[in-house]
Amino acid sequence: MRRVTGLVVVMLWLGAPAFAQDAGGINKQPVIVTHGQASLKRAPDQAWVSIAAESRAGAPAEAQRLNAEAMQAVNAALARAGIAADAIRTTGYSLQPEMEYVNGRGRVKGYIARNQVEARVDDLKKLGAVLDAAGTSGATSMAGLRFDIT
């Protein structure tokens, strides 16, 4: 009998479901269910900011060229502000016609190219300089500033 009891205890310990339920699916063994939650409160040590440049031109290729130049300037300014190349990633790019409507009729007025990147700032003391650098280098919008803990 001792041997069988030991086998049942080992099987229950291993989580054998066959011993825990009968044919009707009703649990006959005692079950312990636990839930846990934890909170960690710390000051953020990292920031993320979305930076975009928008360019307009009469032709799609010209809008793209102007936008590439603007983003090169933004990326160079971010590098000078201490942001590593691997801390910048493209999050969006679009090229679309800019429409003008007169007397209910639409016509293509030009094209808008928009490139958006997300920059990770690992040193929060540099955040102001990063925002200034982006704003003075050709970025037309900055949004989505969020803080995080590494």
Side-chain angles (χ1 to χ4, degrees):
M1 184 69 175
R2 185 176 186 117
R3 186 177 205 187
V4 173
T5 304
L7 178 61
V8 171
V9 170
V10 170
M11 293 298 282
L12 288 175
W13 180 71
L14 293 175
F19 290 108
Q21 295 181 352
D22 67 359
I26 299 171
N27 193 341
K28 291 187 174 185
Q29 298 293 324
V31 176
I32 298 173
V33 178
T34 62
H35 296 281
Q37 182 175 336
S39 295
L40 175 63
K41 294 184 180 188
R42 269 186 47 200
D45 59 357
Q46 188 178 65
W48 299 82
V49 62
S50 292
I51 302 165
E54 194 172 274
S55 304
R56 298 171 190 275
E62 181 66 7
Q64 287 178 300
R65 185 187 66 74
L66 292 172
N67 191 261
E69 289 175 3
M71 286 309 292
Q72 284 176 346
V74 169
N75 285 331
L78 292 175
R80 285 190 302 275
I83 303 300
D86 67 346
I88 301 169
R89 66 183 178 118
T90 300
T91 57
Y93 184 85
S94 65
L95 176 66
Q96 60 191 39
E98 181 177 18
M99 301 299 291
E100 179 178 67
Y101 294 91
V102 178
N103 296 329
R105 296 184 55 102
R107 74 171 187 88
V108 175
K109 179 180 175 182
Y111 291 86
I112 304 168
R114 186 172 198 279
N115 190 347
Q116 182 172 322
V117 297
E118 184 176 58
R120 184 187 74 231
V121 182
D122 293 322
D123 182 357
L124 292 183
K125 293 176 185 175
K126 294 181 180 179
L127 182 58
V130 168
L131 296 174
D132 289 344
T136 59
S137 66
T140 56
S141 67
M142 288 179 276
L145 178 63
R146 65 183 170 86
F147 296 92
D148 207 348
I149 298 173
T150 54

